[in-house]
PDB file of all heavy atoms in Angstrom:
ATOM      1  N   ALA G 283    -121.809 -85.662 -19.474  1.00 34.00           N
ATOM      2  CA  ALA G 283    -120.738 -84.717 -19.520  1.00 34.00           C
ATOM      3  C   ALA G 283    -119.618 -85.049 -20.505  1.00 34.00           C
ATOM      4  O   ALA G 283    -119.507 -86.127 -20.799  1.00 34.00           O
ATOM      5  CB  ALA G 283    -120.109 -84.696 -18.086  1.00 34.00           C
ATOM      6  N   VAL G 299    -108.092 -91.740 -14.983  1.00 23.00           N
ATOM      7  CA  VAL G 299    -108.765 -91.379 -16.286  1.00 23.00           C
ATOM      8  C   VAL G 299    -109.712 -92.492 -16.655  1.00 23.00           C
ATOM      9  O   VAL G 299    -109.314 -93.681 -16.617  1.00 23.00           O
ATOM     10  CB  VAL G 299    -107.666 -91.187 -17.387  1.00 23.00           C
ATOM     11  CG1 VAL G 299    -108.364 -90.831 -18.687  1.00 23.00           C
ATOM     12  CG2 VAL G 299    -106.707 -90.157 -16.957  1.00 23.00           C
ATOM     13  N   SER G 315    -114.671 -88.413  -5.250  1.00 24.00           N
ATOM     14  CA  SER G 315    -115.222 -87.792  -4.103  1.00 24.00           C
ATOM     15  C   SER G 315    -114.065 -87.353  -3.231  1.00 24.00           C
ATOM     16  O   SER G 315    -112.942 -87.390  -3.706  1.00 24.00           O
ATOM     17  CB  SER G 315    -116.108 -88.720  -3.309  1.00 24.00           C
ATOM     18  OG  SER G 315    -115.420 -89.837  -2.970  1.00 24.00           O
ATOM     19  N   ARG G 331    -104.087 -59.579   2.889  1.00 98.00           N
ATOM     20  CA  ARG G 331    -103.521 -59.053   1.668  1.00 98.00           C
ATOM     21  C   ARG G 331    -102.715 -60.171   1.011  1.00 98.00           C
ATOM     22  O   ARG G 331    -101.704 -60.552   1.600  1.00 98.00           O
ATOM     23  CB  ARG G 331    -102.770 -57.833   1.935  1.00 98.00           C
ATOM     24  CG  ARG G 331    -102.744 -56.781   0.853  1.00 98.00           C
ATOM     25  CD  ARG G 331    -102.255 -55.451   1.355  1.00 98.00           C
ATOM     26  NE  ARG G 331    -101.090 -55.529   2.136  1.00 98.00           N
ATOM     27  CZ  ARG G 331     -99.886 -55.538   1.662  1.00 98.00           C
ATOM     28  NH1 ARG G 331     -99.652 -55.423   0.380  1.00 98.00           N
ATOM     29  NH2 ARG G 331     -98.813 -55.589   2.492  1.00 98.00           N
ATOM     30  N   ASP G 388     -99.528 -60.922   3.374  1.00 98.00           N
ATOM     31  CA  ASP G 388     -99.836 -61.954   4.372  1.00 98.00           C
ATOM     32  C   ASP G 388     -99.425 -63.328   3.789  1.00 98.00           C
ATOM     33  O   ASP G 388     -99.094 -64.214   4.499  1.00 98.00           O
ATOM     34  CB  ASP G 388    -101.273 -61.990   4.742  1.00 98.00           C
ATOM     35  CG  ASP G 388    -101.673 -60.827   5.573  1.00 98.00           C
ATOM     36  OD1 ASP G 388    -101.060 -60.600   6.598  1.00 98.00           O
ATOM     37  OD2 ASP G 388    -102.528 -60.077   5.136  1.00 98.00           O
ATOM     38  N   LEU G 487     -90.996 -87.620 -33.704  1.00 98.00           N
ATOM     39  CA  LEU G 487     -89.832 -86.915 -34.173  1.00 98.00           C
ATOM     40  C   LEU G 487     -89.188 -86.072 -33.177  1.00 98.00           C
ATOM     41  O   LEU G 487     -88.150 -85.430 -33.413  1.00 98.00           O
ATOM     42  CB  LEU G 487     -90.177 -86.047 -35.382  1.00 98.00           C
ATOM     43  CG  LEU G 487     -90.817 -86.770 -36.618  1.00 98.00           C
ATOM     44  CD1 LEU G 487     -91.147 -85.732 -37.717  1.00 98.00           C
ATOM     45  CD2 LEU G 487     -89.861 -87.802 -37.195  1.00 98.00           C
ATOM     46  N   ALA G 514     -97.840 -86.008 -39.865  1.00 98.00           N
ATOM     47  CA  ALA G 514     -99.217 -86.260 -39.718  1.00 98.00           C
ATOM     48  C   ALA G 514     -99.794 -85.463 -38.590  1.00 98.00           C
ATOM     49  O   ALA G 514    -100.991 -85.080 -38.601  1.00 98.00           O
ATOM     50  CB  ALA G 514     -99.407 -87.744 -39.348  1.00 98.00           C
ATOM     51  N   LEU G 521    -100.473 -72.651 -24.577  1.00 98.00           N
ATOM     52  CA  LEU G 521    -101.256 -71.709 -25.364  1.00 98.00           C
ATOM     53  C   LEU G 521    -100.428 -71.089 -26.567  1.00 98.00           C
ATOM     54  O   LEU G 521    -100.965 -71.156 -27.741  1.00 98.00           O
ATOM     55  CB  LEU G 521    -101.886 -70.647 -24.426  1.00 98.00           C
ATOM     56  CG  LEU G 521    -102.761 -69.588 -25.004  1.00 98.00           C
ATOM     57  CD1 LEU G 521    -103.812 -69.259 -23.932  1.00 98.00           C
ATOM     58  CD2 LEU G 521    -102.018 -68.404 -25.426  1.00 98.00           C
ATOM     59  N   ALA G 523     -97.456 -72.059 -27.813  1.00 98.00           N
ATOM     60  CA  ALA G 523     -96.994 -73.093 -28.712  1.00 98.00           C
ATOM     61  C   ALA G 523     -98.029 -73.552 -29.686  1.00 98.00           C
ATOM     62  O   ALA G 523     -97.791 -73.802 -30.874  1.00 98.00           O
ATOM     63  CB  ALA G 523     -96.342 -74.277 -27.891  1.00 98.00           C
ATOM     64  N   GLY G 530     -98.714 -71.616 -38.106  1.00 98.00           N
ATOM     65  CA  GLY G 530     -97.691 -72.229 -39.051  1.00 98.00           C
ATOM     66  C   GLY G 530     -98.387 -73.223 -40.007  1.00 98.00           C
ATOM     67  O   GLY G 530     -98.067 -73.298 -41.213  1.00 98.00           O
ATOM     68  N   VAL G 552    -109.686 -71.379 -29.512  1.00 98.00           N
ATOM     69  CA  VAL G 552    -111.030 -71.826 -29.827  1.00 98.00           C
ATOM     70  C   VAL G 552    -111.388 -71.484 -31.224  1.00 98.00           C
ATOM     71  O   VAL G 552    -112.030 -72.325 -31.982  1.00 98.00           O
ATOM     72  CB  VAL G 552    -111.994 -71.275 -28.737  1.00 98.00           C
ATOM     73  CG1 VAL G 552    -113.472 -71.476 -29.205  1.00 98.00           C
ATOM     74  CG2 VAL G 552    -111.746 -71.747 -27.367  1.00 98.00           C
ATOM     75  N   SER G 585    -106.049 -70.682  10.350  1.00 95.00           N
ATOM     76  CA  SER G 585    -105.762 -71.821  11.248  1.00 95.00           C
ATOM     77  C   SER G 585    -104.310 -71.785  11.694  1.00 95.00           C
ATOM     78  O   SER G 585    -104.056 -72.389  12.840  1.00 95.00           O
ATOM     79  CB  SER G 585    -106.060 -73.083  10.622  1.00 95.00           C
ATOM     80  OG  SER G 585    -105.154 -73.329   9.514  1.00 95.00           O
ATOM     81  N   GLY G 586    -103.444 -71.308  10.904  1.00 95.00           N
ATOM     82  CA  GLY G 586    -101.999 -71.441  11.220  1.00 95.00           C
ATOM     83  C   GLY G 586    -101.517 -72.863  11.013  1.00 95.00           C
ATOM     84  O   GLY G 586    -100.386 -73.147  11.339  1.00 95.00           O
ATOM     85  N   THR G 596    -105.996 -80.329 -10.095  1.00 96.00           N
ATOM     86  CA  THR G 596    -107.285 -80.004 -10.723  1.00 96.00           C
ATOM     87  C   THR G 596    -107.437 -80.659 -12.023  1.00 96.00           C
ATOM     88  O   THR G 596    -106.570 -81.309 -12.494  1.00 96.00           O
ATOM     89  CB  THR G 596    -107.307 -78.455 -10.834  1.00 96.00           C
ATOM     90  OG1 THR G 596    -106.186 -77.990 -11.537  1.00 96.00           O
ATOM     91  CG2 THR G 596    -107.477 -77.751  -9.482  1.00 96.00           C
ATOM     92  N   ALA G 621    -115.172 -60.092 -16.531  1.00 96.00           N
ATOM     93  CA  ALA G 621    -116.596 -59.912 -16.649  1.00 96.00           C
ATOM     94  C   ALA G 621    -117.223 -61.135 -17.195  1.00 96.00           C
ATOM     95  O   ALA G 621    -118.470 -61.431 -17.024  1.00 96.00           O
ATOM     96  CB  ALA G 621    -116.968 -58.769 -17.529  1.00 96.00           C
ATOM     97  N   THR G 638    -113.883 -71.267   5.096  1.00 30.00           N
ATOM     98  CA  THR G 638    -113.704 -71.246   6.598  1.00 30.00           C
ATOM     99  C   THR G 638    -114.792 -70.207   7.113  1.00 30.00           C
ATOM    100  O   THR G 638    -114.813 -69.070   6.659  1.00 30.00           O
ATOM    101  CB  THR G 638    -112.365 -70.650   7.007  1.00 30.00           C
ATOM    102  OG1 THR G 638    -111.371 -71.539   6.334  1.00 30.00           O
ATOM    103  CG2 THR G 638    -112.162 -70.737   8.517  1.00 30.00           C
TER     104      THR G 638
END
Side-chain angles (χ1 to χ4, degrees):
V299 183
S315 58
R331 210 161 49 84
D388 293 301
L487 300 177
L521 184 145
V552 171
S585 69
T596 49
T638 305

